[in-house]
Amino acid sequence: MMSVINKYSKARCYYISLVGHAAFDKRKVKMEQGFYRDQNNNISPCITFILTVGPSYVMDICYVDITEGHDVHLFSDINELALHQHPDVFDPVLFSFLFPLQGNGPFLCTQSCNGHLTHFYAATHHAIDLRCPVGTPVVSVGNGEIIEVKHDNNVSGINVQNLFSWNSIMIKLETGVFVEYVHIKQNSAKVAVGDKVTAGQVICESGDVGFCPEPHLHIQAHKSHDKDAPTEKFAFL
């Protein structure tokens, strides 16, 4: 039996991946596995649990098939559950943007505000995920300057380790708003740090890199460039 224990006085979030092990529910029925891709394009099965656990609480998760004498391949990321303090505030002047994708839509929104996969933290609360094929042109949502480009990674899928290996571009708009594009295709950036961009200009291609169960573009906006700055609610024109 695999269980988690939150010994703290505040709720915590647990991302847990089992690699190379079968997991079974309380009826001993085998759980469906997903996959992950490493930097060298090797594909492997895994299963990932995303849990919010209340203070001073024990949660039983599943049974795990472990061969005696073999190592357990488990990866986790555990954090205090930091909720957004002002989730309904919206400034339509600062946070109304051009749509970020070109190509043949429509593009399904697969996770929106407060989505229970990865958008329930303050730092991601208002993010939008748009399903799109790898290689879809991604455009600047406004006029601004490129302040970050990261496009060296190639990992994908649901392994928790991928939470820290994404590709992204960040733009500081002329309004002072920061817009971040995540999961972009490896080596697809068409801009560099310091470049000036205009609304509608292609800046990269969409991808499936990072903690990413399927190809999509993740986009979010902030008033600050601080690491844990809360997201801001936005709309597309």
Side-chain angles (χ1 to χ4, degrees):
M1 170 72 75
M2 181 170 72
S3 304
V4 296
I5 302 172
N6 180 9
K7 66 179 183 179
Y8 298 96
S9 60
K10 295 183 179 181
R12 297 176 79 82
C13 177
Y14 295 70
Y15 283 76
I16 302 172
S17 290
L18 287 168
V19 177
H21 302 286
F24 302 84
D25 66 18
K26 64 181 180 181
R27 301 181 303 276
K28 301 297 178 71
V29 176
K30 186 177 181 179
M31 295 178 168
E32 183 177 355
Q33 290 187 315
F35 80 96
Y36 74 97
R37 181 182 73 222
D38 68 18
Q39 190 71 6
N40 297 315
N41 281 320
N42 299 309
I43 307 294
S44 302
C46 72
I47 186 167
T48 295
F49 301 90
I50 302 172
L51 314 165
T52 53
V53 182
S56 303
Y57 193 82
V58 178
M59 180 182 292
D60 295 330
I61 305 171
C62 65
Y63 297 97
V64 182
D65 185 15
I66 301 173
T67 303
E68 186 175 352
H70 288 69
D71 293 334
V72 177
H73 300 287
L74 182 149
F75 305 94
S76 65
D77 183 57
I78 305 169
N79 292 287
E80 183 178 309
L81 185 56
L83 300 178
H84 204 293
Q85 297 302 302
H86 306 285
D88 298 322
V89 173
F90 174 54
D91 183 340
V93 175
L94 287 178
F95 294 97
S96 294
F97 302 145
L98 187 71
F99 192 70
L101 294 171
Q102 288 184 349
N104 297 322
F107 299 103
L108 179 67
C109 177
T110 55
Q111 188 179 192
S112 184
C113 298
N114 200 32
H116 289 179
L117 182 63
T118 53
H119 294 180
F120 51 89
Y121 287 100
T124 58
H125 182 99
H126 298 101
I128 298 292
D129 288 347
L130 298 169
R131 180 186 291 164
C132 52
V134 172
T136 301
V138 177
V139 304
S140 178
V141 298
N143 300 331
E145 179 180 349
I146 304 297
I147 64 168
E148 282 186 9
V149 175
K150 182 179 180 181
H151 65 150
D152 297 331
N153 288 308
N154 188 47
V155 301
S156 186
I158 62 171
N159 192 324
V160 167
Q161 295 177 102
N162 293 356
L163 284 169
F164 312 102
S165 299
W166 67 88
N167 289 339
S168 62
I169 288 178
M170 182 175 285
I171 301 174
K172 183 179 181 180
L173 300 180
E174 291 177 345
T175 58
V177 168
F178 297 85
V179 179
E180 186 173 19
Y181 306 75
V182 184
H183 305 308
I184 68 173
K185 183 180 177 181
Q186 185 183 35
N187 298 325
S188 73
K190 305 182 187 307
V191 291
V193 172
D195 285 355
K196 302 292 186 180
V197 293
T198 57
Q201 179 180 336
V202 175
I203 59 171
C204 63
E205 297 175 13
S206 69
D208 63 350
V209 177
F211 187 78
C212 190
E214 65 173 8
H216 70 278
L217 176 69
H218 170 114
I219 183 170
Q220 60 187 48
H222 305 264
K223 287 183 178 178
S224 165
H225 189 210
D226 293 345
K227 177 179 176 292
D228 296 319
T231 54
E232 301 293 332
K233 192 173 185 178
F234 64 91
F236 297 126
L237 296 170

